[in-house]
Amino acid sequence: MDWWVRLRSHPDQPICHGCLDGLNAQRDGQLQLIAGTWLVRGFHPILVVADMARSVDWYEGAGFEVSTHGDSYGFAHRDKDLTIHLSVATGDEVPGHGSVYIFCQDVDQVAAAWSGAGLTVDGPHDFDHGRREATARDPDGNLLRVGSPLR
């Protein structure tokens, strides 16, 4: 299925999401040239876990698509811009001390989906800083905080 975006300045000229991504990449390249320095294009947090199979089950329940590389490393993907690396603790690493903040359009929808999947969710709650947020902890205690603007 193709998805189209209508430009406010030219509503009669829709462009596909792939073309929009291409234009954004061109813009980022130009910004990097103008600034003369490197430009952040994204990031992938790494969360330390104790048991990969247990983490895979939890993140799939939270709506992520999970892929693994052996028993000690995995990736939890959501949409096009979020990838959380899952790494089984080695040596003196302690699982469960990570956290990720996820921006979304509607935190109530995410909290309902997570609760419906059997996850323990705190919130959503409104905050003075203009966001509505909910949190959930994976089986090791890593915190996922999700937020959207107050409406």
Side-chain angles (χ1 to χ4, degrees), residues 42-104:
F43 67 94
H44 292 190
I46 302 171
L47 300 181
V48 179
V49 300
D51 181 288
M52 185 57 64
R54 182 179 68 178
S55 294
V56 166
D57 288 344
W58 192 90
Y59 281 89
E60 286 178 343
F64 289 82
E65 181 180 314
V66 181
S67 60
T68 59
H69 295 273
D71 295 331
S72 63
Y73 211 85
F75 303 94
H77 305 282
R78 178 67 197 209
D79 303 322
K80 73 177 188 95
D81 288 330
L82 178 59
T83 297
I84 299 171
H85 294 227
L86 304 171
S87 177
V88 172
T90 60
D92 61 352
E93 292 180 314
V94 178
H97 291 277
S99 62
V100 177
Y101 192 98
I102 303 169
F103 293 92
C104 70

Side-chain angles (χ1 to χ4, degrees), residues 7 17 19 30-31 71 98-99 112 133:
L7 304 174
H17 282 203
C19 294
Q30 290 171 351
L31 289 173
D71 295 331
S99 62
E133 300 175 347

